[in-house]
Amino acid sequence: MLFLLYDDLQSLDVTGPLEVFSVANRLPGLVDEHAAHADRTEYRLRTASIGGRPVRTSSGLRLTPDVDLAEVGAPHTLLVPGGAGAQRSNPLIIDWLRHNASAASRIVSVCTGAFLLAEAGLLNGRQATTHWRRTELLAKQYPLVSVQPEPIFVRDGTVYTSAGVTAGMDLALALVEDDLGRTVALDIARQLVMFLRRPGNQTQFSAQLSAQAAHRQPLREVQSWVAEHPEADLSVETLAQRAGLSPRQFARAFTEETGVSPGRYVDQVRLESARRHLEDTDSNISRVARFCGYGTTESMRRAFLRTLGISPAEYRRRFTASL
C-alpha cells in the first residue's frame, strides 16, 4: 500500500488511514472467516514523494517518505491525500499517476486528493466525492466526473473517493472490512474509538451539523431532544412548551439561532433517522416510518421523493449493500 506525499497535504488524510491499516497489522488473528482475501496477512505500508524528499504538511508537520516516487510502480492500493497542494498543478505527480495508477488494484483518494485523480483522468466517467466545500469546484473543473456531494465515500469500480479528513478513516476501515473481515474491522474501530462503520452513502452532514447549535440552553436541549425522539409529537407548540416559550417566541428564536425553522429541522432529523434505519436494520418500511415519526409509509415515501428523489424501498435497495 502506497501513500503519495506532496507539500501542503492535509496531514490527517495520510496519518488517519495509515493508523487504521497499521492497527490492523498489530492485531492478533488478523483474518476472520468472512474475509474476502483470507490469504492476506498484513499491509505493507509505504510513503513516497517526488525525489524522496521530505514534505511539509499544511499544519507544518514534516513527513519523511520511505521511497522516491520514481522508483516505485503501481502498488496494490494507492492512497492519494488531499490538502491545499492537491489543487495546485504538479506535473510530475500527475504524470506518475497517469502512467502508474491505473495498474493499481485499488485507487483511493481522501478529501481533495480527488482533484489529483481527476486531473490525471482517473475519474473520467466515474462517480466520485470530495470535501463538501469543493464538490461544486470539482464538478466545474472536471465535467466528465459525476460528482456526488453528499456521501462520505464513494466506490466506482476500483476507484474509491472520500470526503474530508476523518472520512478517509471511515473509508480505510471499510477497506479493512473488505480485506480482513468485519471482526478485524470492529476491533480496529474499538481501539481507535470509531464507529463501525459510517455507511459510505451517509451524508457528510447530520441534521445537527447542518443546523447551527442554538445559543440558548433551552433551545439546544430541544435540538437534542428532537434528535433522540423523532417519533414523538414534534409540533411547534410541544417544542415551545419544552423550551418554556410561547409558540411564536419559540419559532422566531429557533430560526434565528439555528438558521432553520423548527419544522424544517424536524423534517431533517426524521429523514436522517429513517435513512439510518433503512441502511442499518432489516425492519420493514412501515415500522421504520412509525419509529421515525412519519406515521404512515406514504408520508415517509413523499418525504423521500421530495428530498432524495427516490422511494424508501429504492433507497434501501441501493444503499444497504456492502462497499
Side-chain angles (χ1 to χ4, degrees):
M1 179 173 291
L2 186 69
F3 292 75
L4 178 63
L5 303 184
Y6 55 86
D7 284 325
D8 264 350
L9 63 82
Q10 163 65 252
S11 58
L12 275 175
D13 289 1
V14 173
T15 58
L18 193 149
E19 192 65 31
V20 170
F21 297 119
S22 177
V23 170
N25 285 345
R26 299 196 298 271
L27 287 176
L30 281 179
V31 182
D32 71 21
E33 67 274 15
H34 301 297
H37 305 291
D39 58 336
R40 183 169 187 158
T41 57
E42 69 173 23
Y43 295 102
R44 183 186 178 201
L45 306 173
R46 295 189 299 167
T47 56
S49 71
I50 297 296
R53 294 188 296 272
V55 302
R56 184 176 293 277
T57 70
S58 57
S59 65
L61 177 69
R62 289 178 64 84
L63 300 177
T64 301
D66 298 311
V67 293
D68 181 346
L69 189 62
E71 296 176 358
V72 296
H76 176 275
T77 301
L78 171 67
L79 189 142
V80 181
Q87 292 179 249
R88 293 197 293 267
S89 178
N90 193 323
L92 293 177
I93 288 179
I94 299 303
D95 185 65
W96 186 90
L97 288 171
R98 285 174 177 160
H99 287 89
N100 296 278
S102 60
S105 297
R106 292 190 298 214
I107 304 170
V108 179
S109 73
V110 180
C111 196
T112 53
F115 282 81
L116 291 172
L117 298 188
E119 182 65 22
L122 297 167
L123 298 183
N124 289 350
R126 296 184 184 274
Q127 294 187 18
T129 194
T130 187
H131 190 285
W132 65 272
R133 286 188 181 273
R134 295 291 182 265
T135 53
E136 289 187 9
L137 182 61
L138 183 64
K140 182 179 179 180
Q141 289 188 356
Y142 303 100
L144 295 180
V145 181
S146 177
V147 179
Q148 307 297 305
E150 283 211 355
I152 59 171
F153 57 81
V154 170
R155 174 185 179 178
D156 190 326
T158 59
V159 179
Y160 303 70
T161 54
S162 70
V165 193
T166 57
M169 297 181 71
D170 290 295
L171 177 50
L173 201 60
L175 294 176
V176 170
E177 185 175 344
D178 275 358
D179 293 341
L180 305 176
R182 186 174 179 83
T183 300
V184 175
L186 180 58
D187 284 346
I188 297 169
R190 287 171 174 160
Q191 188 153 324
L192 296 179
V193 197
M194 294 174 62
F195 289 103
L196 180 72
R197 62 179 164 78
R198 291 194 293 170
N201 53 284
Q202 183 174 316
T203 181
Q204 294 189 36
F205 287 105
S206 66
Q208 293 92 320
L209 286 177
S210 297
Q212 303 170 40
H215 299 301
R216 282 179 271 185
Q217 183 65 24
L219 297 182
R220 288 201 301 273
E221 290 176 355
V222 165
Q223 285 181 285
S224 297
W225 194 82
V226 168
E228 293 168 4
H229 301 88
E231 79 290 350
D233 175 6
L234 301 180
S235 64
V236 169
E237 290 74 18
T238 299
L239 298 180
Q241 186 175 17
R242 294 191 67 86
L245 299 170
S246 72
R248 184 175 180 180
Q249 289 174 319
F250 171 76
R252 183 174 64 249
F254 190 95
T255 303
E256 288 176 354
E257 295 195 19
T258 68
V260 296
S261 68
R264 176 61 177 157
Y265 184 75
V266 168
D267 288 345
Q268 290 174 345
V269 167
R270 282 179 169 158
L271 184 68
E272 181 180 320
S273 178
R275 289 171 68 169
R276 287 182 177 173
H277 275 79
L278 291 171
E279 293 164 2
D280 298 338
T281 76
D282 58 2
S283 295
N284 63 48
I285 290 177
S286 62
R287 185 175 181 181
V288 172
R290 291 193 301 272
F291 186 85
C292 297
Y294 288 105
T296 66
T297 56
E298 179 58 24
S299 294
M300 187 168 78
R301 190 183 74 86
R302 288 198 300 267
F304 269 66
L305 290 173
R306 181 172 61 250
T307 306
L308 303 176
I310 58 174
S311 69
E314 176 64 12
Y315 183 88
R316 168 170 274 172
R317 187 188 70 79
R318 291 189 191 182
F319 296 127
T320 55
S322 298
L323 176 67

